[in-house]
Amino acid sequence: MSRIHAVVQPKPAAAPTFAALKSSLGMVPNLYATLAHSPALLNGLLGFADALGKGRLSARQRELLALAIGQANACQYCLSAHTLLAGRAGFDDDAIRAARLAQAADPLDHALLQLAVALVTQRGVISDAQLAAARAAGVDDELMMEVLGQVVINTLTNYGNHLAATDIDFPPVTLTP
């Protein structure tokens, strides 16, 4: 049961965002409806995500990162949402499970996942060896900053769900991959 309930009638500053979400997703996910208690937060988050979507990380890589970060932060809501989205994007169950464990067959994807989970679990403190390993796999400074951005976005949503105990409105998955 949620501790902070989803907004049903958004404030005027969030109304266009609700309309856009309904148009693109067919619904306003409970996470966004909960964040809408602060239209500034909701609109800022979505604006930041949109900006990062124009970066070098592919939509596929961003989805892998969302799964790994959601797992690292133990966010059942985000894991449920991103498992559904990953399946719709063509990921099979094995690829989804691997991403949740920060594993990928592609060396660059693997390095991106390892970096993201290290940023989460080590609170942003990355060793020289970890940085060198990422660079050796092809993660340049631009990609490192984009991974950091994805960690910020996903951690914000993960923590928002923890704070609110958001009701899951996707097929639920367990926290154990």
Side-chain angles (χ1 to χ4, degrees), residues 2-22:
S2 68
R3 299 187 306 183
I4 300 174
H5 297 288
V7 169
V8 176
Q9 187 63 38
K11 295 176 183 176
T17 303
F18 269 50
L21 288 166
K22 283 180 185 173

Side-chain angles (χ1 to χ4, degrees), residues 7 9-18 21 31-48 156:
V7 169
Q9 187 63 38
K11 295 176 183 176
T17 303
F18 269 50
L21 288 166
L31 166 65
Y32 295 141
T34 302
L35 295 179
H37 282 283
S38 169
L41 175 62
L42 176 63
N43 292 329
L45 170 70
L46 294 175
F48 186 29
L156 188 152

